[in-house]
PDB file of all heavy atoms in Angstrom:
ATOM      1  N   TRP A 127       7.668   6.807  28.074  1.00 98.00           N
ATOM      2  CA  TRP A 127       7.688   5.378  27.731  1.00 98.00           C
ATOM      3  C   TRP A 127       7.731   5.206  26.220  1.00 98.00           C
ATOM      4  O   TRP A 127       8.491   4.379  25.706  1.00 98.00           O
ATOM      5  CB  TRP A 127       6.455   4.687  28.313  1.00 98.00           C
ATOM      6  CG  TRP A 127       6.374   3.239  27.932  1.00 98.00           C
ATOM      7  CD1 TRP A 127       6.982   2.188  28.557  1.00 98.00           C
ATOM      8  CD2 TRP A 127       5.663   2.674  26.821  1.00 98.00           C
ATOM      9  NE1 TRP A 127       6.692   1.009  27.900  1.00 98.00           N
ATOM     10  CE2 TRP A 127       5.886   1.281  26.831  1.00 98.00           C
ATOM     11  CE3 TRP A 127       4.851   3.224  25.820  1.00 98.00           C
ATOM     12  CZ2 TRP A 127       5.328   0.424  25.882  1.00 98.00           C
ATOM     13  CZ3 TRP A 127       4.296   2.381  24.873  1.00 98.00           C
ATOM     14  CH2 TRP A 127       4.537   0.992  24.908  1.00 98.00           C
ATOM     15  N   GLY A 128       6.931   5.981  25.490  1.00 98.00           N
ATOM     16  CA  GLY A 128       6.959   5.901  24.034  1.00 98.00           C
ATOM     17  C   GLY A 128       8.318   6.283  23.479  1.00 98.00           C
ATOM     18  O   GLY A 128       8.822   5.643  22.541  1.00 98.00           O
ATOM     19  N   PHE A 129       8.945   7.320  24.046  1.00 98.00           N
ATOM     20  CA  PHE A 129      10.277   7.725  23.589  1.00 98.00           C
ATOM     21  C   PHE A 129      11.265   6.581  23.778  1.00 98.00           C
ATOM     22  O   PHE A 129      12.076   6.292  22.887  1.00 98.00           O
ATOM     23  CB  PHE A 129      10.734   8.959  24.362  1.00 98.00           C
ATOM     24  CG  PHE A 129      11.974   9.609  23.807  1.00 98.00           C
ATOM     25  CD1 PHE A 129      11.877  10.702  22.966  1.00 98.00           C
ATOM     26  CD2 PHE A 129      13.246   9.139  24.140  1.00 98.00           C
ATOM     27  CE1 PHE A 129      13.013  11.316  22.451  1.00 98.00           C
ATOM     28  CE2 PHE A 129      14.388   9.729  23.630  1.00 98.00           C
ATOM     29  CZ  PHE A 129      14.274  10.820  22.784  1.00 98.00           C
ATOM     30  N   VAL A 130      11.188   5.920  24.925  1.00 98.00           N
ATOM     31  CA  VAL A 130      12.091   4.796  25.188  1.00 98.00           C
ATOM     32  C   VAL A 130      11.883   3.686  24.153  1.00 98.00           C
ATOM     33  O   VAL A 130      12.849   3.082  23.677  1.00 98.00           O
ATOM     34  CB  VAL A 130      11.881   4.261  26.616  1.00 98.00           C
ATOM     35  CG1 VAL A 130      12.633   2.943  26.822  1.00 98.00           C
ATOM     36  CG2 VAL A 130      12.346   5.291  27.646  1.00 98.00           C
ATOM     37  N   GLN A 131      10.636   3.427  23.770  1.00 97.00           N
ATOM     38  CA  GLN A 131      10.375   2.403  22.751  1.00 97.00           C
ATOM     39  C   GLN A 131      10.989   2.813  21.408  1.00 97.00           C
ATOM     40  O   GLN A 131      11.492   1.971  20.657  1.00 97.00           O
ATOM     41  CB  GLN A 131       8.873   2.157  22.586  1.00 97.00           C
ATOM     42  CG  GLN A 131       8.136   1.795  23.860  1.00 97.00           C
ATOM     43  CD  GLN A 131       8.884   0.797  24.719  1.00 97.00           C
ATOM     44  OE1 GLN A 131       9.199  -0.308  24.280  1.00 97.00           O
ATOM     45  NE2 GLN A 131       9.163   1.187  25.960  1.00 97.00           N
ATOM     46  N   GLY A 132      10.961   4.102  21.115  1.00 97.00           N
ATOM     47  CA  GLY A 132      11.604   4.586  19.894  1.00 97.00           C
ATOM     48  C   GLY A 132      13.107   4.410  19.929  1.00 97.00           C
ATOM     49  O   GLY A 132      13.724   4.013  18.937  1.00 97.00           O
ATOM     50  N   VAL A 133      13.708   4.697  21.083  1.00 98.00           N
ATOM     51  CA  VAL A 133      15.148   4.470  21.248  1.00 98.00           C
ATOM     52  C   VAL A 133      15.468   2.989  21.068  1.00 98.00           C
ATOM     53  O   VAL A 133      16.463   2.616  20.437  1.00 98.00           O
ATOM     54  CB  VAL A 133      15.610   4.965  22.629  1.00 98.00           C
ATOM     55  CG1 VAL A 133      17.044   4.500  22.923  1.00 98.00           C
ATOM     56  CG2 VAL A 133      15.527   6.484  22.710  1.00 98.00           C
ATOM     57  N   ASN A 134      14.617   2.128  21.608  1.00 97.00           N
ATOM     58  CA  ASN A 134      14.878   0.684  21.566  1.00 97.00           C
ATOM     59  C   ASN A 134      14.839   0.107  20.159  1.00 97.00           C
ATOM     60  O   ASN A 134      15.334  -1.007  19.940  1.00 97.00           O
ATOM     61  CB  ASN A 134      13.878  -0.055  22.458  1.00 97.00           C
ATOM     62  CG  ASN A 134      14.171   0.139  23.933  1.00 97.00           C
ATOM     63  OD1 ASN A 134      15.261   0.553  24.313  1.00 97.00           O
ATOM     64  ND2 ASN A 134      13.188  -0.139  24.772  1.00 97.00           N
ATOM     65  N   LEU A 135      14.271   0.836  19.208  1.00 96.00           N
ATOM     66  CA  LEU A 135      14.290   0.360  17.825  1.00 96.00           C
ATOM     67  C   LEU A 135      15.713   0.251  17.296  1.00 96.00           C
ATOM     68  O   LEU A 135      15.993  -0.564  16.410  1.00 96.00           O
ATOM     69  CB  LEU A 135      13.480   1.306  16.925  1.00 96.00           C
ATOM     70  CG  LEU A 135      11.972   1.311  17.124  1.00 96.00           C
ATOM     71  CD1 LEU A 135      11.335   2.407  16.261  1.00 96.00           C
ATOM     72  CD2 LEU A 135      11.357  -0.039  16.787  1.00 96.00           C
ATOM     73  N   CYS A 136      16.605   1.081  17.805  1.00 96.00           N
ATOM     74  CA  CYS A 136      18.019   1.015  17.392  1.00 96.00           C
ATOM     75  C   CYS A 136      18.894   1.380  18.588  1.00 96.00           C
ATOM     76  O   CYS A 136      19.720   2.288  18.520  1.00 96.00           O
ATOM     77  CB  CYS A 136      18.293   1.928  16.190  1.00 96.00           C
ATOM     78  SG  CYS A 136      17.723   3.626  16.371  1.00 96.00           S
ATOM     79  N   ARG A 137      18.687   0.684  19.689  1.00 97.00           N
ATOM     80  CA  ARG A 137      19.344   1.001  20.961  1.00 97.00           C
ATOM     81  C   ARG A 137      20.868   0.978  20.832  1.00 97.00           C
ATOM     82  O   ARG A 137      21.564   1.820  21.414  1.00 97.00           O
ATOM     83  CB  ARG A 137      18.914  -0.004  22.027  1.00 97.00           C
ATOM     84  CG  ARG A 137      19.417   0.327  23.434  1.00 97.00           C
ATOM     85  CD  ARG A 137      18.489   1.282  24.114  1.00 97.00           C
ATOM     86  NE  ARG A 137      18.956   1.732  25.405  1.00 97.00           N
ATOM     87  CZ  ARG A 137      18.151   2.218  26.352  1.00 97.00           C
ATOM     88  NH1 ARG A 137      16.859   2.304  26.145  1.00 97.00           N
ATOM     89  NH2 ARG A 137      18.635   2.630  27.494  1.00 97.00           N
ATOM     90  N   ALA A 138      21.399   0.032  20.061  1.00 97.00           N
ATOM     91  CA  ALA A 138      22.856  -0.046  19.924  1.00 97.00           C
ATOM     92  C   ALA A 138      23.420   1.215  19.287  1.00 97.00           C
ATOM     93  O   ALA A 138      24.540   1.638  19.611  1.00 97.00           O
ATOM     94  CB  ALA A 138      23.236  -1.270  19.095  1.00 97.00           C
ATOM     95  N   ASP A 139      22.662   1.830  18.382  1.00 96.00           N
ATOM     96  CA  ASP A 139      23.125   3.066  17.739  1.00 96.00           C
ATOM     97  C   ASP A 139      23.064   4.248  18.708  1.00 96.00           C
ATOM     98  O   ASP A 139      23.868   5.174  18.624  1.00 96.00           O
ATOM     99  CB  ASP A 139      22.285   3.357  16.503  1.00 96.00           C
ATOM    100  CG  ASP A 139      22.422   2.285  15.433  1.00 96.00           C
ATOM    101  OD1 ASP A 139      23.456   1.590  15.424  1.00 96.00           O
ATOM    102  OD2 ASP A 139      21.497   2.123  14.616  1.00 96.00           O
ATOM    103  N   TRP A 140      22.100   4.241  19.606  1.00 97.00           N
ATOM    104  CA  TRP A 140      21.977   5.292  20.619  1.00 97.00           C
ATOM    105  C   TRP A 140      23.024   5.161  21.728  1.00 97.00           C
ATOM    106  O   TRP A 140      23.385   6.148  22.364  1.00 97.00           O
ATOM    107  CB  TRP A 140      20.597   5.233  21.269  1.00 97.00           C
ATOM    108  CG  TRP A 140      19.502   5.947  20.558  1.00 97.00           C
ATOM    109  CD1 TRP A 140      18.752   5.476  19.516  1.00 97.00           C
ATOM    110  CD2 TRP A 140      19.000   7.261  20.842  1.00 97.00           C
ATOM    111  NE1 TRP A 140      17.813   6.404  19.140  1.00 97.00           N
ATOM    112  CE2 TRP A 140      17.950   7.512  19.943  1.00 97.00           C
ATOM    113  CE3 TRP A 140      19.332   8.233  21.784  1.00 97.00           C
ATOM    114  CZ2 TRP A 140      17.225   8.704  19.946  1.00 97.00           C
ATOM    115  CZ3 TRP A 140      18.616   9.428  21.796  1.00 97.00           C
ATOM    116  CH2 TRP A 140      17.582   9.653  20.873  1.00 97.00           C
TER     117      TRP A 140
END
Side-chain angles (χ1 to χ4, degrees):
W127 177 85
F129 191 98
V130 170
Q131 305 317 302
V133 169
N134 287 343
L135 290 174
C136 51
R137 187 85 185 202
D139 297 336
W140 275 83

